[in-house]
Amino acid sequence: MGDVEVSEWCRIERSFSSFKIIPINDDDDTLHSEGTDFSPVDDGVVVDEKKDTDVVKEIESLLPITESRKGNAYTAAFHLLSSGIGTPALVLPFAFTSLGWSWGIVVLTVIFAWRLYTMWLLVHLHETVNGTRYSRYLQLAIIAFGEKLGKCLSIFPTMYLSGGTCVMSIIAGGRTLQLFYNTICENDQHCLHKSLSGAQWFLVFVSLAILIARFFPNLNSLAWVSFVGSILGVAYFTMIWALSIAKGRPNGVTYNPSDNVTTTMAQFRAVLNGVAIVAIAFRGHNLVLEIQGTLPTNPKHPTKTRMWRGVIASYSLIAMCVFPLAIGGYWAYGNMMPANGIIGAIAKYHRESTPKWLIGTIYMMVVIQCLCSFQIYAMPVFDNLERIYVSRHLKACPRWVRSCIKLFFGGLTYFISVAFPFLGSLAAFVGGIALPLSLVYPCFMWIFIKKPQRNSLMYCLNMFLGCLGILISVVQVAGALWNLVIDKLDANFFNP
């Protein structure tokens, strides 16, 4: 191998192992002139930059996120809806018990609008005027903040929101499977004694999740999985709030937030906890650029138009699910809402009067929706792991390598879910650390990349929202730690 090839390989290795970004125009093969463009690099060795870019483009085409760019506005909407709606939003009525009617609705509306706005920023930052695309959140963070700061700010939040959400899906899905089994058995003690342990139910769920993942090699191929997850998510959210309203309010329902607390400091802690619940109820910002990366592009039809249509469609459905559930759930149960959310309220107050088949159907919908959202949140992790193999061998991962990667990830997430089944109690704390990913970073990214004029509307708006988001994140983390200290964390290690 000659000096030029050795240098080229070394440069590619360094580029991908350290997440350096080389701008690529996915549809314009004439990015450089037809003649060879040589530039001096380390130690005076000459490298063909066009070949370097072509190799990087080839590697991108072999990774799960960017392997297929045949999506459309519909598939984007399915991905966004499947990843954006989930079990964390079922706790929203409990947030109203500390915020009350007025502030609960205001906080819910403001955070929803804020997240929709930052979604708009990310969609418009995905693709530059010359066609360069950033199909991963980390790439855009490095472009905006620089290599070191971009990695420091975004690696942990993106990995937590990907892997952590998969772990929470295992915990929620496994426990819901157990509830489904107990509902089917009802009062049959012999049947109940045969129930699996919590760790075994987790294993059943993660085995199903990894089995499904083996049939879908890239993000775009998950469109049908996201479609199923979207339909079932909307269905069980609607069924839950409609059932709660139809059953009527239990006796003794009140709506005064002060009824649940005895001191001013306790009320303040409850308010912080309520805001944290609302803030982490919406999710999916760490997948926006990846989902947009599945859309095709050309100079006349940039991806932002189709992607924004998908965002509007998906967020309209999310609003139709989340707002009635939060408001209707609080109307139905008021301050009697248990801390585990509206499903717990239905089981507590209406278990005897609700048909077993209806409760079982809701549980099974929750399980299937968790399986579907697991797939889309796991894809960025698969992409990062496959990048290691592809960048070294310059060829697609064989099927057995992809299977090993998925089995490894499934085993790791299963171990974490069994070892730390109380992670839901830490959601407010870790969610506060990851909150800037959706509320803060997009605002500052717009300022650093688009460079709006100082004192212009976009500059002032993004600066204000970015600073306010940092303040909310700090207060949320402090409030979560405060609650953990006061309430004492039930750290049931290896005891799901």
Side-chain angles (χ1 to χ4, degrees):
M1 183 177 293
D3 290 340
V4 173
E5 294 173 337
V6 170
S7 177
E8 181 180 340
W9 274 78
C10 292
R11 178 177 179 138
I12 295 166
E13 289 289 336
R14 290 196 303 270
S15 173
F16 284 90
S17 63
S18 61
F19 294 96
K20 293 183 184 295
I21 306 301
I22 299 177
I24 302 169
N25 185 324
D26 291 304
D27 298 282
D28 186 2
D29 293 331
T30 62
L31 182 63
H32 299 281
S33 60
E34 293 298 326
T36 304
D37 179 18
F38 291 99
S39 301
V41 293
D42 299 337
D43 300 325
V45 179
V46 177
V47 176
D48 187 342
E49 293 289 348
K50 186 176 187 303
K51 288 184 179 180
D52 190 30
T53 303
D54 289 342
V55 172
V56 174
K57 289 176 64 177
E58 181 182 356
I59 291 176
E60 288 287 290
S61 69
L62 301 175
L63 297 174
I65 298 296
T66 49
E67 185 177 44
S68 174
R69 296 192 188 272
K70 298 180 180 179
N72 52 50
Y74 296 103
T75 60
F78 296 148
H79 289 318
L80 290 167
L81 186 54
S82 180
S83 61
I85 196 171
T87 53
L90 297 177
V91 193
L92 280 173
F94 180 72
F96 276 54
T97 62
S98 56
L99 298 174
W101 277 115
S102 300
W103 282 109
I105 295 174
V106 168
V107 171
L108 181 62
T109 304
V110 168
I111 291 183
F112 178 83
W114 192 346
R115 284 182 172 266
L116 185 60
Y117 171 70
T118 53
M119 186 81 75
W120 181 88
L121 294 178
L122 290 174
V123 168
H124 285 74
L125 288 173
H126 170 84
E127 187 174 6
T128 63
V129 176
N130 64 2
T132 303
R133 300 177 66 178
Y134 305 109
S135 300
R136 294 163 184 83
Y137 198 102
L138 179 58
Q139 291 179 338
L140 190 62
I142 292 175
I143 292 299
F145 306 127
E147 184 174 349
K148 292 183 179 180
L149 184 58
K151 292 179 184 178
C152 180
L153 293 176
S154 61
I155 284 181
F156 171 76
T158 54
M159 289 300 100
Y160 164 74
L161 288 174
S162 294
T165 303
C166 290
V167 171
M168 293 306 300
S169 295
I170 294 173
I171 295 173
R175 288 176 175 170
T176 308
L177 272 174
Q178 188 172 18
L179 290 174
F180 174 77
Y181 181 86
N182 293 340
T183 301
I184 296 300
C185 290
E186 202 169 16
N187 297 323
D188 188 345
Q189 294 300 321
H190 180 70
C191 177
L192 291 174
H193 283 313
K194 291 184 177 180
S195 176
L196 303 176
S197 65
Q200 290 171 328
W201 284 116
F202 288 4
L203 182 60
V204 171
F205 180 90
V206 77
S207 298
L208 291 173
I210 297 304
L211 179 63
I212 295 172
R214 292 192 69 252
F215 294 99
F216 300 95
N218 56 63
L219 181 57
N220 186 56
S221 66
L222 285 173
W224 282 105
V225 175
S226 294
F227 172 75
V228 173
S230 301
I231 296 299
L232 293 182
V234 173
Y236 81 74
F237 263 74
T238 304
M239 291 173 65
I240 288 173
W241 67 257
L243 179 63
S244 298
I245 294 176
K247 289 294 181 180
R249 295 177 292 181
N251 295 328
V253 171
T254 61
Y255 302 103
N256 188 356
S258 62
D259 292 344
N260 290 343
V261 294
T262 56
T263 65
T264 303
M265 295 305 292
Q267 185 175 4
F268 182 63
R269 287 195 300 112
V271 169
L272 292 180
N273 186 55
V275 174
I277 291 173
V278 177
I280 64 178
F282 303 102
R283 57 185 191 174
H285 273 62
N286 61 309
L287 296 172
V288 175
L289 297 173
E290 285 80 354
I291 293 171
Q292 194 169 350
T294 64
L295 304 180
T297 186
N298 59 64
K300 295 182 179 180
H301 301 285
T303 59
K304 62 183 180 182
T305 303
R306 280 162 291 171
M307 185 64 182
W308 186 240
R309 291 174 184 167
V311 170
I312 292 299
S314 61
Y315 265 63
S316 297
L317 289 173
I318 290 174
M320 292 169 59
C321 293
V322 169
F323 280 83
L325 182 133
I327 298 173
Y330 185 57
W331 175 87
Y333 306 106
N335 290 345
M336 298 172 64
M337 173 68 63
N340 59 348
I342 193 168
I343 287 187
I346 293 175
K348 182 177 181 179
Y349 300 112
H350 306 302
R351 186 178 185 88
E352 300 299 327
S353 60
T354 304
K356 182 173 66 174
W357 66 266
L358 182 58
I359 297 293
T361 299
I362 292 175
Y363 286 156
M364 189 50 60
M365 285 182 173
V366 173
V367 171
I368 297 175
Q369 201 275 332
C370 286
L371 285 170
C372 295
S373 64
F374 180 98
Q375 309 303 321
I376 191 169
Y377 276 96
M379 195 58 70
V381 181
F382 298 154
D383 183 85
N384 286 331
L385 295 176
E386 288 191 28
R387 179 184 289 274
I388 299 173
Y389 179 93
V390 172
S391 61
R392 290 181 178 178
H393 300 281
L394 293 180
K395 64 178 182 180
C397 282
R399 181 174 295 181
W400 70 270
V401 173
R402 283 187 166 177
S403 298
C404 289
I405 288 174
K406 292 173 180 179
L407 287 172
F408 167 76
F409 177 72
L412 179 62
T413 51
Y414 172 70
F415 172 80
I416 296 174
S417 64
V418 172
F420 308 99
F422 55 88
L423 280 180
S425 303
L426 300 175
F429 171 68
V430 186
I433 299 176
L435 191 65
L437 201 74
S438 54
L439 298 184
V440 178
Y441 297 164
C443 300
F444 290 134
M445 285 175 177
W446 184 273
I447 293 175
F448 291 141
I449 294 176
K450 294 294 186 178
K451 302 185 185 304
Q453 291 183 351
R454 282 182 175 272
N455 302 323
S456 65
L457 175 61
M458 287 299 292
Y459 180 89
C460 294
L461 176 61
N462 286 300
M463 185 61 70
F464 170 75
L465 291 178
C467 294
L468 180 61
I470 293 175
L471 178 62
I472 293 175
S473 179
V474 172
V475 171
Q476 180 177 331
V477 171
L481 285 175
W482 190 5
N483 283 322
L484 290 174
V485 171
I486 298 298
D487 298 335
K488 296 181 181 179
L489 176 65
D490 183 17
N492 52 326
F493 294 99
F494 294 97
N495 187 26

